[in-house]
Amino acid sequence: MITSLIETPSGLVSVEGRVEQHAVWVDLSDPTETERAHVEHTFNVKLPHRVHMRAVEPSTRLVASSQHLEMTFSAPSRDPNLPASPMTCILAEQHLITLHGSETRGFEATRRFAAENPDTQAHDIFIMLVEETVDVIADRLEQLGADIDSLASSVFDLDGASSRASKRIHGMVKRMGRYGTLTMRLQDALTSLMRLSLFMSQHQKRIAPHLDNRSGTLALGADIKALSELAGALDDKVDFILNAMLGIIALDQNKITMVLSMMAAMFLPPTLISSIFGMNFVSMPGLSWHHGFFLCLGAMVGASMIVGGIFRWRRWL
């Protein structure tokens, strides 16, 4: 789908399905080959394909030529559970072309900003798109941080001795793993934005001709760096809480193993006594005792009680 932002006497107007050479902003969302060819012919550019947009090397994602700047970065999808999708921005002096697979909240806010400000130019729209992308990541990191803190409080307030608590911890491990996955996806997006901010600082005069916009790009780079540090801190917190939950599960399993081991130790002396008197020799002392059976039973019970008493004395039980 193609959406063009066209300058009219009454201001900037958004038009779908039409491309004009004098458009300030041309947005392509999952375009067909016909739409791609139409935009390439109108603006004399070469639009990258999805495989090139997903390339990780900066030389493919960030390209500067005499006519335009081609910048590809990862933008969070509308659904937080989906990975970030690549978005390409081709910025020339008079127009901006964006190519992406799915929209984020940044597109809606940018369109409103352009509609409310008739003097908006192509580089203003580009900076606004990047700012809105950073805002989306900041909002999701803030929500993730709150969810992780809430889950951490629930984990350390649980009574690990109960079976219900153990089942809850197993569910919490899955939730924390999901939070870790979301954090890693936001870190990937921030990594691409960090590279983009360095590229923008190298081409500030072309990306932000006005002095105010240049200072804004510097502030944007500082925000991206701060968010990257926050995402790293959240990732460390997720690792810590996951290790703590796995440690609680291991402690519960160790308690079960300890109880089974103690029970085996308590029944070891009776097993030894019964094994001795259960040997099939013809001549064995004590086999003809009238009260031998009851004496053996008493010895078995007494030995078990002595072992149990030793465990209680050592506070193992």
Side-chain angles (χ1 to χ4, degrees), residues 143-163:
Q143 183 62 44
L144 265 178
D147 292 341
I148 291 171
D149 289 340
S150 176
L151 186 58
S153 300
S154 301
V155 169
F156 294 114
D157 289 343
L158 281 176
D159 180 11
S162 64
S163 59

Side-chain angles (χ1 to χ4, degrees), residues 67-229:
Q67 290 82 20
H68 58 261
L69 300 174
E70 182 179 321
M71 296 162 284
T72 301
F73 59 93
S74 298
S77 301
R78 185 181 294 275
D79 186 356
N81 297 316
L82 295 178
S85 58
M87 180 171 66
T88 298
C89 297
I90 300 176
L91 179 62
E93 185 176 355
Q94 300 296 332
H95 61 264
L96 170 69
I97 302 173
T98 54
L99 175 64
H100 55 91
S102 59
E103 283 196 4
T104 64
R105 290 186 334 209
F107 284 89
E108 300 170 358
T110 304
R111 289 196 184 104
R112 288 196 302 268
F113 172 81
E116 295 170 359
N117 297 271
D119 298 331
T120 302
Q121 300 179 16
H123 56 266
D124 297 323
I125 296 174
F126 169 72
I127 295 175
M128 184 69 178
L129 275 175
V130 179
E131 288 178 346
E132 289 297 324
T133 301
V134 173
D135 288 343
V136 170
I137 295 176
D139 292 341
R140 293 186 180 177
L141 284 176
E142 183 179 356
Q143 183 62 44
L144 265 178
D147 292 341
I148 291 171
D149 289 340
S150 176
L151 186 58
S153 300
S154 301
V155 169
F156 294 114
D157 289 343
L158 281 176
D159 180 11
S162 64
S163 59
R164 183 178 297 178
S166 299
K167 292 180 180 179
R168 287 185 60 188
I169 289 179
H170 282 79
M172 291 177 178
V173 169
K174 294 182 179 180
R175 285 177 57 190
M176 190 57 67
R178 176 176 170 271
Y179 293 155
T181 302
L182 296 177
T183 304
M184 287 188 294
R185 288 173 178 172
L186 294 177
Q187 281 182 310
D188 292 340
L190 286 169
T191 299
S192 69
L193 287 172
M194 284 284 289
R195 296 173 179 174
L196 176 64
S197 66
L198 294 175
F199 184 81
M200 291 171 63
S201 64
Q202 295 172 358
H203 302 276
Q204 274 199 16
K205 292 184 179 180
R206 298 178 62 181
I207 293 176
H210 303 304
L211 184 60
D212 293 341
N213 287 339
R214 292 185 199 176
S215 60
T217 57
L218 293 176
L220 188 62
D223 290 342
I224 294 172
K225 183 178 179 181
L227 290 177
S228 181
E229 293 173 354

Side-chain angles (χ1 to χ4, degrees), residues 2-4 6 15-23 25-28 35 38-43 97:
I2 299 178
T3 304
S4 299
I6 302 172
V15 180
E16 292 187 1
R18 201 172 83 190
V19 178
E20 291 192 12
Q21 192 170 6
H22 300 291
W25 178 20
V26 178
D27 179 46
L28 292 91
E35 292 174 337
H38 186 28
V39 172
E40 288 177 344
H41 179 265
T42 303
F43 294 98
I97 302 173

